[in-house]
Amino acid sequence: MIYRSTNNKSEKVDFREATITGLAPDKGLFFPEQIPVLSVDFLKDLKSKSKAQLAYEIVAPYVGSSIPKEYLFKICEETVDFDFPLVKIKENIYSLELFHGPTLAFKDVGARFLSRCLGYFSKNSDKKTTVLVATSGDTGSAVANSFLGVEGVEVVILYPSGKVSLIQELQLTTLGNNITALEVEGDFDDCQRMVKEAFANKELNDHLNLTSANSINIARWLSQQFYYFFALQQWPHEKPPVISVPSGNFGNICAGLIAHKSGLPVTHFIAACNSNDAFYKYLQNGDYKTKASVPTISNAMDVGNPSNFVRVLELFDNDFKQIQNKISSFRISDEITKKTISEVYENHNYLLDPHGAVAYTALDIYLKENPTEKGIILETAHPLKFNNVVEPIIGEEIEIPLNVKTLLEKTKNSILISPTFQCLSNELLKWV
Ligand SMILES: *Cc1c(COP(=O)(O)O)cnc(C)c1O
């Protein structure tokens, strides 16, 4: 498979090069030249395939000859080595639980796949790779967990001070080894901007061989397709589902959209957003305006300028009408999100996390307008990760799994820095 940049000013590259580089040199995002088409047989046999086999068949055309077949299969096996149950909440709404991985959020899938690909690529290289990643919470913990101990790869995580939950912070600051956490005195957009500036800086790149583990990285983005197929494997109805995706940087929904483009049956997509509404507004009139991010209780979606927006445009050949036909968006306030958590717990005995609750509310509104449809929400995080929000709403404590108990006893270890590129650069260059 060949990848081009969405800015069309960089050379075309293969999977290996695109994964190692992260962002294209012209600052565009890598995008596959062709999108593979799933065969009729593949879709017919969907339900009988194992998770690993399915993952392998989906991603193999995208990886091409960059990784040998047997090794790629092993990577897929390890990546999807936990449960992805589809749970019925009520008559027309199901929840695809993506939080059964090691850091209790869906980002484990993409991060595990990426870490193993980079681990393979760095085996055959004497140059160290540095993964530089900005996180609003869950990316950092998934990346830290997935890359811990991967030889030849250093990981540097930037997170906004005071804006991630306690569990998220401990997950990304207590591992040590090849994982370093930089605590930025700013918000997520600051972190993302600093990382982008670092990638654009030739000196840093030459010294550190920088790559990204955000969803701009194709290995992370493309492997997030897997669970959309797992959802369809478990879907009990004839008519394809509407899928509601709690969206921030739009990597997750873009993975669903590319899966759909290659033939996965999905009736409609919902980009469920919190008060960070750049995409919601875009769908009203085609006018895309980015804004500074607003803090909310679904903090992993607090993104003012979704980095995968350009991929949405690519997927639909910039055709606004087509985008409007396939995707709806809803903007859900914190107040309504809390109300949903409370009501769904009361009425259906199902505990949503704030991100899942945004997706649920959006889907519920859509289904009221389209009563012949049924749908799935992607429940992207375990409610425990946001216990400070969820527990006061339901007036109960959430039971803490053993692995989280041990985490809570650990001591945070981070480096506090100001939100400027210069400060980041100083930190990074200390190590070379
Ligand atoms: C990252 C994240 C999201 C948003 O996903 P994007 O791919 O950035 O749109 C939603 N929910 C949770 C829990 C997350 O960690």
Side-chain angles (χ1 to χ4, degrees):
M1 176 70 75
I2 299 295
Y3 295 84
R4 64 180 169 81
S5 162
T6 50
N7 284 346
N8 288 315
K9 293 198 185 85
S10 296
E11 276 183 37
K12 295 178 182 174
V13 296
D14 64 4
F15 177 81
R16 179 180 182 279
E17 188 67 28
T19 301
I20 293 176
T21 324
L23 194 67
D26 64 5
K27 296 189 196 161
L29 271 56
F30 285 115
F31 196 86
E33 279 258 276
Q34 292 126 17
I35 295 176
V37 178
L38 303 170
S39 71
V40 177
D41 282 348
F42 175 91
L43 289 167
K44 207 170 81 225
D45 299 341
L46 191 67
K47 294 205 172 175
S48 61
K49 287 187 208 285
S50 71
K51 291 194 305 257
Q53 180 66 27
L54 199 53
Y56 170 78
E57 289 182 29
I58 295 157
V59 86
Y62 289 102
V63 175
S65 55
S66 291
I67 300 175
K69 283 184 174 142
E70 300 74 42
Y71 200 92
L72 182 62
F73 190 84
K74 208 178 104 217
I75 291 178
C76 290
E77 263 183 329
E78 289 177 14
T79 301
V80 299
D81 181 24
F82 49 88
D83 292 335
F84 300 82
L86 185 70
V87 176
K88 187 171 180 174
I89 301 181
K90 66 174 183 179
E91 191 41 41
N92 57 358
I93 298 189
Y94 292 71
S95 166
L96 184 71
E97 295 185 345
L98 300 176
F99 54 73
H100 296 277
T103 73
L104 314 180
F106 83 98
K107 292 193 175 78
D108 282 326
V109 176
R112 279 150 77 99
F113 186 78
L114 170 63
S115 69
R116 283 150 179 86
C117 290
L118 278 180
Y120 176 78
F121 296 143
S122 71
K123 264 190 202 164
N124 310 318
S125 156
D126 47 3
K127 216 171 153 193
K128 266 202 171 186
T129 304
T130 306
V131 171
L132 187 62
V133 56
T135 183
S136 53
D138 287 339
T139 298
S141 37
V143 167
N145 183 286
S146 304
F147 279 86
L148 180 65
V150 173
E151 265 176 55
V153 184
E154 286 290 329
V155 176
V156 180
I157 297 165
L158 281 75
Y159 73 97
S161 181
K163 296 197 172 66
V164 302
S165 79
L166 175 67
I167 292 176
Q168 285 176 328
E169 184 165 40
L170 290 174
Q171 280 175 334
L172 55 92
T173 58
T174 56
L175 293 168
N177 200 337
N178 58 330
I179 316 290
T180 303
L182 299 179
E183 183 176 352
V184 176
E185 294 174 306
D187 60 18
F188 173 67
D189 290 338
D190 290 319
C191 298
Q192 189 144 280
R193 172 182 45 80
M194 289 158 77
V195 165
K196 278 191 181 154
E197 282 179 57
F199 282 121
N201 185 291
K202 192 170 174 331
E203 188 198 354
L204 275 184
N205 261 296
D206 288 349
H207 277 307
L208 295 164
N209 221 4
L210 291 179
T211 190
S212 138
N214 287 89
S215 52
I216 57 171
N217 193 302
I218 52 152
R220 228 192 94 184
W221 172 44
L222 295 169
S223 56
Q224 290 184 357
Q225 291 179 80
F226 298 163
Y227 42 76
Y228 286 89
F229 289 83
F230 302 159
L232 262 290
Q233 273 190 316
Q234 301 171 74
W235 183 241
H237 304 284
E238 227 15 80
K239 194 172 181 194
V242 176
I243 302 188
S244 178
V245 187
S247 295
N249 261 321
F250 281 64
N252 201 1
I253 195 166
C254 266
L257 290 168
I258 197 169
H260 177 59
K261 195 153 187 186
S262 56
L264 187 76
V266 178
T267 296
H268 196 69
F269 283 91
I270 294 175
C273 299
N274 58 28
S275 301
N276 295 280
D277 59 0
F279 187 78
Y280 167 82
K281 289 214 166 131
Y282 163 76
L283 275 193
Q284 314 290 308
N285 57 14
D287 208 9
Y288 182 65
K289 285 205 192 77
T290 64
K291 293 200 268 190
S293 67
V294 186
T296 73
I297 56 168
S298 44
N299 66 17
M301 292 150 63
D302 295 349
V303 182
N305 183 9
S307 51
N308 284 283
F309 177 68
V310 287
R311 282 190 175 133
V312 177
L313 297 180
E314 289 287 340
L315 282 160
F316 291 92
D317 300 322
N318 271 298
D319 183 336
F320 180 60
K321 273 275 158 300
Q322 268 196 55
I323 297 176
Q324 269 187 325
N325 282 340
K326 200 73 219 179
I327 315 174
S328 298
S329 185
F330 296 90
R331 176 181 58 187
I332 312 296
S333 69
D334 278 357
E335 198 186 337
I336 301 290
T337 306
K338 287 181 185 169
K339 203 163 150 245
T340 298
I341 293 174
S342 165
E343 282 177 4
V344 172
Y345 191 61
E346 286 272 308
N347 299 337
H348 307 291
N349 197 25
Y350 190 86
L351 187 56
L352 293 161
D353 96 292
H355 306 78
V358 169
Y360 183 100
T361 316
L363 180 59
D364 210 29
I365 299 169
Y366 181 85
L367 293 179
K368 287 203 174 97
E369 293 162 4
N370 299 272
T372 57
E373 309 291 347
K374 291 181 173 30
I376 296 174
I377 62 157
L378 300 192
E379 183 33 301
T380 46
H382 194 297
L384 182 68
K385 267 195 128 162
F386 303 93
N387 57 348
N388 57 333
V389 178
V390 174
E391 286 176 353
I393 298 173
I394 60 167
E396 283 172 42
E397 281 189 16
I398 305 169
E399 201 185 320
I400 300 180
L402 191 65
N403 57 347
V404 178
K405 273 194 190 133
T406 23
L407 182 70
L408 292 172
E409 287 157 13
K410 294 190 179 161
T411 316
K412 157 181 157 181
N413 189 358
S414 66
I415 302 167
L416 194 66
I417 65 167
S418 301
T420 66
F421 168 68
Q422 199 50 50
C423 290
L424 172 62
S425 169
N426 291 347
E427 275 310 319
L428 293 174
L429 289 172
K430 277 184 195 161
W431 305 336
V432 272

